[in-house]
Amino acid sequence: MSANSDALKRYYRFHAAIYDLTRWSFLFGRSALIEALQKMRLQPRRILEIGCGTGRNLAALARAFPKAEIVGIDVSEDMLDHARRSCAFAEDRVLLECAPYGPQSRLGKFDIIVASYALSMMGEGVAPVLDTARRDLRSGGAFAVVDFRDSRFGFFRRWMALNHVRLDDGLLPEIQQRFGEPAVATRQAYGGLWRWFSLVAS
Ligand SMILES: C[S@@+](CC[C@H](N)C(=O)[O-])C[C@H]1O[C@@H](n2cnc3c(N)ncnc32)[C@H](O)[C@@H]1O
């Protein structure tokens, strides 16, 4: 396990308990991303969420795609404990794996891969993760991302770095390098304190 994964496991040992109570106020665009996937009228057999956390998106995906098998992978067992409870209603088709996602992962191919506010926490490790997502996405499949983009405010970038989040606008070029140039929606949060983005690439 990498130093980054160990740091995230320690971070979420405390934050898992308050995650769902607090994150609705700043992790914007998560429901809209799943609604956009639903509108695409895909008929996915398998869906992966990289860094699924407490399972908020997994539960929404299980409801949106009732015939699909949904796999969630996360480095934090504390977060996955919550995900297990959130997805109990679909436990026969929601599978959870506690491990860092990357080239060593052997989860098979997916029709949809979702990464929601996870890639911005991976630092230098994001490149192999994106390469693996490219490898694991079936031809014609959809790679759906919502995440932090940047902030003009140094104090805020430093605060977010303490919370393991990059806000340097470096993530989008890494995605475009591997998934082409899909339409990107960029939005401001709290009057411009930071920007976040979402996209669906194939
Ligand atoms: C901010 S949370 C987002 C959780 C969820 N996707 C959501 O939108 O609420 C980021 C999650 O990504 C996980 N994570 C970070 N790097 C990871 C990696 N390399 N492999 C698997 N999970 C990772 C963290 O443990 C954490 O649970």
Side-chain angles (χ1 to χ4, degrees):
M1 188 122 355
S2 72
N4 189 52
S5 295
D6 284 339
L8 290 179
K9 282 167 71 170
R10 279 196 302 277
Y11 177 78
Y12 281 115
R13 202 158 292 151
F14 166 70
H15 279 266
I18 57 163
Y19 188 89
D20 287 330
L21 290 173
T22 52
R23 272 25 178 212
W24 62 269
S25 61
F26 56 96
L27 301 187
F28 300 122
R30 295 180 293 171
S31 301
L33 186 70
I34 294 170
E35 283 158 22
L37 286 169
Q38 220 176 349
K39 282 189 192 138
M40 289 170 72
R41 305 211 171 274
L42 306 165
Q43 297 198 318
R45 286 195 295 118
R46 302 190 76 222
I47 303 175
L48 170 69
E49 183 178 4
I50 303 167
C52 61
T54 55
R56 178 191 187 278
N57 296 328
L58 296 179
L61 287 163
R63 290 194 174 93
F65 299 102
K67 292 189 178 155
E69 176 182 275
I70 320 275
V71 179
I73 184 166
D74 203 288
V75 292
S76 164
E77 190 57 56
D78 295 285
M79 294 293 262
L80 289 176
D81 279 347
H82 289 263
R84 216 160 277 126
R85 289 196 285 276
S86 319
C87 298
F89 71 95
E91 63 181 1
D92 53 327
R93 62 191 178 88
V94 177
L95 312 175
L96 301 175
E97 167 113 355
C98 188
Y101 181 69
Q104 74 294 340
S105 303
R106 292 286 172 264
L107 300 172
K109 294 277 185 190
F110 294 91
D111 305 290
I112 298 176
I113 298 182
V114 175
S116 160
Y117 291 98
L119 300 174
S120 58
M121 300 193 87
M122 294 179 188
E124 299 285 303
V126 78
V129 164
L130 290 171
D131 289 338
T132 309
R134 181 77 271 176
R135 180 198 74 187
D136 290 349
L137 188 66
R138 263 197 200 111
S139 159
F143 182 53
V145 181
V146 59
D147 217 320
F148 293 105
R149 186 162 179 176
D150 58 12
S151 172
R152 288 184 283 130
F153 299 98
F155 81 89
F156 190 67
R157 288 197 300 275
R158 285 191 292 280
W159 165 249
M160 291 302 272
L162 288 175
N163 288 277
H164 306 276
V165 176
R166 73 190 279 183
L167 265 173
D168 59 0
D169 208 12
L171 196 48
L172 198 48
E174 295 270 15
I175 296 169
Q176 286 165 336
Q177 217 177 305
R178 294 161 179 87
F179 291 89
E181 303 244 342
V184 179
T186 297
R187 306 258 185 277
Q188 298 202 347
Y190 296 113
L193 183 56
W194 74 86
R195 296 193 305 163
W196 57 274
F197 72 97
S198 64
L199 60 85
V200 179
S202 53

